């Protein structure tokens, strides 16, 4: 397998991570709406992982552009 193919497969996995983050975001909206005490905790997790996902996507795109 060449580097380009590996990177494209990695991009598919990264999309699954982004989809999971979207699901967490929906949970946050629901928890906020219900007044749950756990909304803040889920928001902290989403914020941390969202920042990591953004950085990962940025670096993956840079690798794809160089390959």
């Amino acid at each position: 397998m060449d580097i380009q193919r590996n990177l494209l497969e990695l991009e598919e996995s990264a999309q699954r991570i982004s989809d999971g983050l979207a699901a967490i975001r929906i949970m946050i909206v629901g928890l906020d709406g219900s007044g749950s005490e756990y909304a803040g905790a889920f928001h902290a997790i989403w914020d941390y992982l969202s920042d990591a996902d953004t950085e990962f996507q940025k670096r993956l795109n840079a690798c794809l552009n160089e390959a």
Side-chain angles (χ1 to χ4, degrees):
M1 244 188 232
D2 67 346
I3 189 75
Q4 182 73 23
R5 182 167 168 85
N6 284 328
L7 288 171
L8 290 172
E9 289 181 10
L10 185 58
E11 187 175 35
E12 290 175 21
S13 296
Q15 183 58 51
R16 285 188 226 123
I17 293 168
S18 294
D19 292 344
L21 283 167
I24 292 173
R25 182 72 179 130
I26 291 168
M27 291 175 62
I28 292 167
V29 170
L31 289 171
D32 274 340
S34 70
S36 174
E37 64 186 79
Y38 299 108
F42 271 96
H43 193 276
I45 290 169
W46 176 82
D47 193 42
Y48 175 78
L49 292 175
S50 180
D51 288 347
D53 182 54
T54 299
E55 186 63 27
F56 179 80
Q57 293 285 350
K58 178 180 156 186
R59 292 174 189 266
L60 177 60
N61 285 333
C63 289
L64 285 167
N65 289 334
E66 289 181 16

